[in-house]
Amino acid sequence: MSVSDMFAALQGALGQDQDIREEIRKVVQALEQTAREILTLLQGVHQGPGFQHIPKKCQKAREHFSTVRTQMESLKTKFPSDQYYRFHEHWRFVLQRLVFLAAFVVYLESETLVTREAVAEILGIEADRERGFHLDIEDYLSGVLTLASELARLAVNSVTAGDYSRPLRISTFINELDSGFRLLNLKNDSLRKRYDGLKYDVKKIEEVVYDLSIRGLNKEATVGAGGEK
Protein backbone atom coordinates (compact mmCIF):
# COMPACT_ATOMS: atom_id res chain seq x y z
CA MET A 1 0.00 0.00 0.00
CA SER A 2 1.33 3.42 -0.94
CA VAL A 3 1.75 6.23 1.56
CA SER A 4 -1.13 8.14 -0.02
CA ASP A 5 -3.39 5.09 0.26
CA MET A 6 -2.41 4.67 3.90
CA PHE A 7 -3.30 8.27 4.72
CA ALA A 8 -6.51 8.06 2.74
CA ALA A 9 -7.52 5.11 4.92
CA LEU A 10 -6.55 7.05 8.04
CA GLN A 11 -8.63 9.99 6.90
CA GLY A 12 -11.59 7.69 6.44
CA ALA A 13 -11.20 6.35 9.96
CA LEU A 14 -10.90 9.87 11.36
CA GLY A 15 -14.02 10.94 9.51
CA GLN A 16 -15.96 7.98 10.87
CA ASP A 17 -14.82 8.77 14.41
CA GLN A 18 -15.86 12.41 14.03
CA ASP A 19 -19.29 11.33 12.77
CA ILE A 20 -19.77 9.13 15.85
CA ARG A 21 -18.77 11.94 18.18
CA GLU A 22 -21.14 14.35 16.46
CA GLU A 23 -24.05 11.91 16.81
CA ILE A 24 -23.21 11.45 20.50
CA ARG A 25 -23.07 15.20 21.04
CA LYS A 26 -26.58 15.63 19.61
CA VAL A 27 -28.06 13.12 22.03
CA VAL A 28 -26.06 14.52 24.95
CA GLN A 29 -27.42 17.99 24.19
CA ALA A 30 -30.94 16.58 24.39
CA LEU A 31 -30.09 14.90 27.70
CA GLU A 32 -28.69 18.16 29.04
CA GLN A 33 -31.93 19.94 28.11
CA THR A 34 -34.02 17.32 29.90
CA ALA A 35 -31.73 17.54 32.93
CA ARG A 36 -32.22 21.32 33.00
CA GLU A 37 -35.99 20.84 32.94
CA ILE A 38 -35.86 18.40 35.85
CA LEU A 39 -33.54 20.70 37.81
CA THR A 40 -35.80 23.71 37.23
CA LEU A 41 -38.75 21.69 38.48
CA LEU A 42 -36.98 20.49 41.62
CA GLN A 43 -35.57 23.91 42.45
CA GLY A 44 -39.11 24.85 43.41
CA VAL A 45 -38.75 22.90 46.65
CA HIS A 46 -36.38 25.57 47.93
CA GLN A 47 -39.19 28.11 47.96
CA GLY A 48 -41.52 28.39 50.96
CA PRO A 49 -44.68 27.02 49.30
CA GLY A 50 -42.57 24.40 47.53
CA PHE A 51 -42.35 22.23 50.64
CA GLN A 52 -46.07 21.60 50.40
CA HIS A 53 -45.77 20.34 46.84
CA ILE A 54 -42.79 18.00 47.11
CA PRO A 55 -44.77 14.83 46.19
CA LYS A 56 -46.19 16.47 43.05
CA LYS A 57 -42.80 17.80 42.00
CA CYS A 58 -41.21 14.38 42.47
CA GLN A 59 -43.96 12.76 40.44
CA LYS A 60 -43.45 15.24 37.59
CA ALA A 61 -39.68 14.73 37.77
CA ARG A 62 -40.15 10.97 37.40
CA GLU A 63 -42.24 11.62 34.30
CA HIS A 64 -39.28 13.54 32.84
CA PHE A 65 -37.04 10.57 33.56
CA SER A 66 -39.07 8.56 31.06
CA THR A 67 -37.71 10.99 28.45
CA VAL A 68 -34.22 10.43 29.82
CA ARG A 69 -34.60 6.66 29.36
CA THR A 70 -35.67 7.16 25.75
CA GLN A 71 -32.68 9.45 25.11
CA MET A 72 -30.35 6.94 26.77
CA GLU A 73 -31.63 4.22 24.45
CA SER A 74 -30.74 6.47 21.53
CA LEU A 75 -27.28 7.21 22.96
CA LYS A 76 -26.49 3.50 23.24
CA THR A 77 -26.86 3.11 19.47
CA LYS A 78 -24.43 5.88 18.55
CA PHE A 79 -21.16 4.05 19.24
CA PRO A 80 -19.78 0.49 19.32
CA SER A 81 -20.87 -1.21 22.55
CA ASP A 82 -17.29 -2.20 23.42
CA GLN A 83 -16.01 1.40 23.26
CA TYR A 84 -17.85 2.89 26.25
CA TYR A 85 -14.78 4.47 27.84
CA ARG A 86 -13.46 5.80 24.55
CA PHE A 87 -16.43 8.17 24.34
CA HIS A 88 -17.26 8.39 28.05
CA GLU A 89 -16.10 12.00 28.37
CA HIS A 90 -18.94 13.13 26.12
CA TRP A 91 -21.70 12.10 28.51
CA ARG A 92 -19.86 11.93 31.84
CA PHE A 93 -20.97 15.33 33.15
CA VAL A 94 -24.62 15.05 32.13
CA LEU A 95 -24.74 11.53 33.56
CA GLN A 96 -23.41 12.79 36.89
CA ARG A 97 -26.03 15.54 36.83
CA LEU A 98 -28.77 13.00 36.15
CA VAL A 99 -27.51 10.82 39.01
CA PHE A 100 -27.79 13.83 41.31
CA LEU A 101 -31.31 14.59 40.11
CA ALA A 102 -32.43 10.98 40.57
CA ALA A 103 -30.84 10.90 44.03
CA PHE A 104 -32.55 14.18 44.95
CA VAL A 105 -35.95 12.88 43.90
CA VAL A 106 -35.49 9.70 45.93
CA TYR A 107 -34.30 11.68 48.95
CA LEU A 108 -37.29 14.02 48.77
CA GLU A 109 -39.59 11.02 48.54
CA SER A 110 -38.11 8.85 51.27
CA GLU A 111 -35.13 10.71 52.81
CA THR A 112 -32.89 7.77 51.92
CA LEU A 113 -29.83 7.38 49.71
CA VAL A 114 -30.62 5.85 46.35
CA THR A 115 -28.49 2.86 45.37
CA ARG A 116 -26.41 2.78 42.22
CA GLU A 117 -28.61 -0.04 40.94
CA ALA A 118 -31.76 2.02 41.51
CA VAL A 119 -30.27 5.06 39.74
CA ALA A 120 -29.30 2.88 36.78
CA GLU A 121 -32.89 1.63 36.59
CA ILE A 122 -34.29 5.17 36.75
CA LEU A 123 -31.97 6.21 33.89
CA GLY A 124 -32.59 3.10 31.83
CA ILE A 125 -28.99 1.89 31.83
CA GLU A 126 -27.05 -0.95 33.45
CA ALA A 127 -25.35 -1.08 36.83
CA ASP A 128 -23.10 -3.95 35.76
CA ARG A 129 -20.20 -2.92 33.54
CA GLU A 130 -20.22 -6.29 31.80
CA ARG A 131 -23.74 -5.72 30.49
CA GLY A 132 -22.92 -2.71 28.32
CA PHE A 133 -23.79 0.96 28.76
CA HIS A 134 -23.60 1.32 32.51
CA LEU A 135 -23.42 3.73 35.43
CA ASP A 136 -19.78 4.01 36.38
CA ILE A 137 -19.17 3.94 40.15
CA GLU A 138 -17.30 7.25 40.10
CA ASP A 139 -20.13 8.94 38.18
CA TYR A 140 -22.56 7.66 40.80
CA LEU A 141 -20.41 8.96 43.65
CA SER A 142 -20.00 12.36 41.98
CA GLY A 143 -23.76 12.67 41.68
CA VAL A 144 -24.20 11.78 45.35
CA LEU A 145 -21.71 14.48 46.35
CA THR A 146 -23.73 17.02 44.39
CA LEU A 147 -26.77 15.84 46.34
CA ALA A 148 -24.96 16.68 49.58
CA SER A 149 -24.43 20.28 48.44
CA GLU A 150 -28.07 20.56 47.42
CA LEU A 151 -29.22 19.28 50.81
CA ALA A 152 -27.01 21.79 52.59
CA ARG A 153 -28.86 24.50 50.69
CA LEU A 154 -32.19 22.85 51.48
CA ALA A 155 -31.37 22.83 55.20
CA VAL A 156 -30.93 26.61 55.15
CA ASN A 157 -34.09 27.20 53.14
CA SER A 158 -36.07 24.87 55.40
CA VAL A 159 -35.45 27.18 58.33
CA THR A 160 -36.59 30.16 56.26
CA ALA A 161 -39.78 28.25 55.44
CA GLY A 162 -40.37 27.46 59.10
CA ASP A 163 -39.59 23.74 58.78
CA TYR A 164 -37.25 23.24 61.74
CA SER A 165 -37.20 19.44 61.81
CA ARG A 166 -35.94 18.95 58.26
CA PRO A 167 -32.43 20.37 58.92
CA LEU A 168 -32.02 17.89 61.78
CA ARG A 169 -32.92 14.99 59.50
CA ILE A 170 -30.66 16.33 56.76
CA SER A 171 -27.82 16.61 59.27
CA THR A 172 -28.20 12.96 60.27
CA PHE A 173 -28.29 11.89 56.62
CA ILE A 174 -25.24 13.94 55.60
CA ASN A 175 -23.19 12.71 58.53
CA GLU A 176 -24.00 9.12 57.57
CA LEU A 177 -23.02 9.96 54.01
CA ASP A 178 -19.74 11.45 55.19
CA SER A 179 -19.01 8.33 57.23
CA GLY A 180 -19.65 6.21 54.17
CA PHE A 181 -17.26 8.19 51.99
CA ARG A 182 -14.58 7.89 54.65
CA LEU A 183 -14.63 4.14 54.07
CA LEU A 184 -13.61 4.62 50.42
CA ASN A 185 -10.06 4.78 49.15
CA LEU A 186 -10.57 7.49 46.56
CA LYS A 187 -7.77 7.65 44.01
CA ASN A 188 -9.56 9.62 41.31
CA ASP A 189 -8.25 13.19 41.58
CA SER A 190 -11.47 14.82 40.42
CA LEU A 191 -13.64 12.73 42.72
CA ARG A 192 -11.27 13.27 45.61
CA LYS A 193 -11.52 17.04 45.21
CA ARG A 194 -15.30 16.77 45.11
CA TYR A 195 -15.26 14.71 48.28
CA ASP A 196 -13.06 17.31 50.00
CA GLY A 197 -15.96 19.73 49.52
CA LEU A 198 -18.27 17.48 51.53
CA LYS A 199 -16.75 18.70 54.79
CA TYR A 200 -17.96 22.20 53.97
CA ASP A 201 -21.47 20.90 53.41
CA VAL A 202 -21.31 19.09 56.76
CA LYS A 203 -20.11 22.27 58.46
CA LYS A 204 -22.80 24.39 56.81
CA ILE A 205 -25.55 22.06 58.02
CA GLU A 206 -24.03 21.86 61.52
CA GLU A 207 -24.18 25.65 61.68
CA VAL A 208 -27.87 25.55 60.78
CA VAL A 209 -28.58 22.96 63.47
CA TYR A 210 -26.53 24.93 66.01
CA ASP A 211 -28.46 28.08 65.19
CA LEU A 212 -31.73 26.23 65.75
CA SER A 213 -30.41 25.05 69.10
CA ILE A 214 -29.37 28.55 70.19
CA ARG A 215 -32.78 29.91 69.25
CA GLY A 216 -34.53 27.06 71.06
CA LEU A 217 -36.16 25.91 67.84
CA ASN A 218 -34.58 22.47 67.99
CA LYS A 219 -37.01 21.50 70.76
CA GLU A 220 -39.93 22.43 68.55
CA ALA A 221 -38.29 20.51 65.71
CA THR A 222 -37.87 17.42 67.88
CA VAL A 223 -41.50 17.51 68.92
CA GLY A 224 -42.63 17.85 65.32
CA ALA A 225 -40.20 15.27 63.96
CA GLY A 226 -42.77 12.53 64.17
CA GLY A 227 -45.14 14.43 61.91
CA GLU A 228 -45.46 14.43 58.18
CA LYS A 229 -42.25 15.07 56.23
Side-chain angles (χ1 to χ4, degrees), residues 14-79:
L14 285 173
Q16 184 179 27
D17 187 78
Q18 290 170 355
D19 290 342
I20 291 174
R21 294 181 185 277
E22 181 58 32
E23 289 299 310
I24 291 174
R25 273 193 288 269
K26 291 178 181 177
V27 182
V28 168
Q29 287 175 352
L31 280 167
E32 289 172 341
Q33 176 59 36
T34 305
R36 283 193 292 270
E37 292 171 1
I38 298 173
L39 180 61
T40 299
L41 175 65
L42 294 179
Q43 289 301 296
V45 305
H46 289 287
Q47 307 301 321
F51 287 96
Q52 303 170 16
H53 305 296
I54 284 178
K56 290 183 179 179
K57 291 185 180 298
C58 290
Q59 182 180 356
K60 287 184 176 296
R62 284 191 176 272
E63 291 172 3
H64 281 291
F65 277 111
S66 65
T67 301
V68 170
R69 288 191 289 274
T70 299
Q71 292 166 338
M72 284 294 185
E73 284 299 320
S74 176
L75 181 58
K76 295 173 188 177
T77 67
K78 303 305 181 184
F79 64 97

Side-chain angles (χ1 to χ4, degrees), residues 43-183:
Q43 289 301 296
V45 305
H46 289 287
Q47 307 301 321
F51 287 96
Q52 303 170 16
H53 305 296
I54 284 178
K56 290 183 179 179
K57 291 185 180 298
C58 290
Q59 182 180 356
K60 287 184 176 296
R62 284 191 176 272
E63 291 172 3
H64 281 291
F65 277 111
S66 65
T67 301
V68 170
R69 288 191 289 274
T70 299
Q71 292 166 338
M72 284 294 185
E73 284 299 320
S74 176
L75 181 58
K76 295 173 188 177
T77 67
K78 303 305 181 184
F79 64 97
S81 58
D82 61 344
Q83 297 185 19
Y84 176 91
Y85 285 106
R86 180 181 180 188
F87 301 104
H88 179 235
E89 285 298 314
H90 287 285
W91 60 75
R92 179 165 62 96
F93 291 111
V94 71
L95 190 56
Q96 291 174 4
R97 173 58 63 88
L98 290 168
V99 169
F100 149 62
L101 294 171
F104 194 27
V105 168
V106 170
Y107 179 84
L108 290 172
E109 292 173 337
S110 62
E111 297 192 355
T112 60
L113 177 62
V114 69
T115 65
R116 184 164 69 100
E117 291 74 15
V119 175
E121 184 177 352
I122 291 171
L123 301 183
I125 58 180
E126 301 292 341
D128 186 353
R129 176 176 178 175
E130 303 302 321
R131 299 183 65 178
F133 195 106
H134 63 284
L135 176 55
D136 186 84
I137 293 176
E138 292 179 352
D139 289 337
Y140 166 74
L141 293 174
S142 291
V144 169
L145 287 170
T146 303
L147 171 67
S149 297
E150 191 73 8
L151 292 182
R153 179 185 171 206
L154 186 63
V156 174
N157 291 329
S158 296
V159 175
T160 303
D163 185 345
Y164 305 130
S165 63
R166 192 179 297 273
L168 302 182
R169 301 196 303 272
I170 290 176
S171 178
T172 298
F173 177 83
I174 293 297
N175 278 296
E176 291 176 353
L177 198 64
D178 185 44
S179 296
F181 269 94
R182 290 178 186 277
L183 297 175

